């Protein structure tokens, strides 16, 4: 069986800086590659306070919430080599990811430098029917799970 990623995604009002400063965070650079075998491919460099992790990921959409996801860690050298195959139609995404644990769930809040009033919040699920308890501290504008304009791949095409 293929490895699956099941997630819900929400457009949220930008949380205030004091709220975000209390969360653990990492900086992310994400680059989409030219298509490989019909799957969406990307590389990601994620910087934590004490280390940097590079990954190569391939995804294929199954439904609005589910994707086949094949991901493995790569070296910095492999990252730089794969970077040479970047899709010229998509820009590099830079964002800060904050982890917000709430009621046994771990929400990921992605803050992009080009949005001042909004951010994206994701939650990985065990199954598509899993019950979600949205945190009241976050102002959800709307569920954008099925809105392809809010995929990172689409955002990489539209970055101002």
């Amino acid at each position: 069986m293929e490895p699956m990623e099941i997630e819900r995604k929400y457009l949220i009002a930008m949380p205030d800086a004091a709220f975000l400063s209390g969360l653990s965070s990492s900086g992310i650079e994400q680059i989409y590659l030219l298509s490989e075998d019909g799957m969406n491919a990307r590389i990601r460099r994620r910087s934590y306070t004490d280390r940097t992790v590079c990954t190569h990921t391939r995804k294929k959409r199954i439904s609005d919430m589910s994707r086949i996801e094949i991901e493995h860690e790569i070296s910095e050298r492999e990252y730089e080599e794969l970077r040479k195959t970047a899709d010229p139609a998509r820009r590099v995404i830079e964002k800060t990811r904050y982890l917000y644990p709430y009621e046994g769930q771990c929400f990921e809040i992605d803050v992009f430098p080009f949005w001042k009033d909004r951010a994206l919040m994701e939650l990985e699920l065990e199954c598509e029917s899993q019950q979600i308890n949205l945190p009241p501290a976050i102002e959800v504008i709307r569920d954008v799970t099925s809105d392809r304009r809010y995929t990172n791949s689409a955002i990489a095409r539209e970055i101002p």
Side-chain angles (χ1 to χ4, degrees):
M1 188 165 142
E2 304 264 16
M4 294 291 289
E5 172 192 60
I6 303 170
E7 68 182 15
R8 294 290 294 266
K9 186 180 284 193
Y10 302 90
L11 182 65
I12 62 171
M14 181 67 73
D16 67 41
F19 175 82
L20 292 174
S21 70
L23 303 177
S24 65
S25 67
S26 59
I28 294 175
E29 175 185 77
Q30 188 164 294
I31 300 170
Y32 284 88
L33 307 177
L34 293 169
S35 183
E36 296 179 3
D37 59 26
M39 296 183 83
N40 205 352
R42 69 159 196 240
I43 51 174
R44 177 184 276 178
R45 178 186 289 135
R46 192 164 178 176
S47 301
Y48 301 89
T49 54
D50 61 341
R51 70 192 187 290
T52 298
V53 177
C54 296
T55 55
H56 178 252
T57 305
R58 293 178 13 234
K59 292 185 182 188
K60 183 175 184 175
R61 184 177 184 277
I62 302 300
S63 72
D64 286 341
M65 291 175 64
S66 299
R67 287 158 192 74
I68 294 170
E69 180 180 66
I70 301 165
E71 182 172 77
H72 63 278
E73 196 169 321
I74 58 174
S75 69
E76 189 73 35
R77 184 183 59 73
E78 289 170 305
Y79 182 90
E80 291 303 327
E81 277 302 308
L82 285 168
R83 185 182 193 123
K84 295 174 185 175
T85 65
D87 181 346
R90 294 186 269 189
R91 296 190 183 163
V92 174
I93 290 180
E94 292 182 2
K95 60 187 176 181
T96 303
R97 173 163 288 170
Y98 296 89
L99 301 181
Y100 180 40
Y102 176 74
E103 291 190 2
Q105 306 162 107
C106 187
F107 291 90
E108 297 174 338
I109 299 171
D110 287 344
V111 174
F112 300 88
F114 48 84
W115 283 346
K116 302 301 180 206
D117 60 341
R118 59 196 157 161
L120 290 175
M121 181 173 74
E122 299 177 358
L123 178 64
E124 293 213 11
L125 307 172
E126 297 294 319
C127 66
E128 289 194 8
S129 60
Q130 181 177 327
Q131 178 66 38
I132 299 170
N133 297 315
L134 292 172
I138 301 292
E139 181 188 338
V140 174
I141 297 169
R142 71 179 178 275
D143 183 327
V144 294
T145 303
S146 61
D147 189 336
R148 292 192 187 182
R149 293 175 299 173
Y150 292 97
T151 64
N152 281 287
S153 177
I155 291 170
R157 292 182 195 281
E158 303 297 325
I159 293 174

